[in-house]
Amino acid sequence: MDVRRGSQALFANVNMEFPANAAVAPAPEVAAWGTFKQSTVDLNKVGELQPDAVKLMDEAGYK
């Protein structure tokens, strides 16, 4: 196993995430969740809405 795949496996397993590298198998617990489904959320839009979301959380007292 090369360093990149080993690092990706370690990172994904510690964080209980699907690995970003498709050549790395997920941890058994993560694999039990089913297949990975990529989000279709437009991250540009998320960035645009972040200031309003933070303001709303502040007003609501979210911690």
Side-chain angles (χ1 to χ4, degrees):
M1 179 181 300
D2 68 37
V3 173
R4 288 174 293 190
R5 287 185 16 194
S7 298
Q8 178 61 196
L10 176 65
F11 184 85
N13 289 344
V14 167
N15 292 303
M16 296 302 293
E17 300 175 349
F18 282 99
N21 183 337
V24 176
E29 298 87 354
V30 175
W33 300 341
T35 57
F36 176 77
K37 181 180 176 191
Q38 184 174 344
S39 175
T40 59
V41 173
D42 179 353
L43 293 181
N44 290 315
K45 189 66 171 176
V46 171
E48 290 172 15
L49 296 174
Q50 183 183 17
D52 291 335
V54 170
K55 183 179 175 186
L56 182 60
M57 289 186 289
D58 287 344
E59 290 173 2
Y62 179 80
K63 299 194 185 241

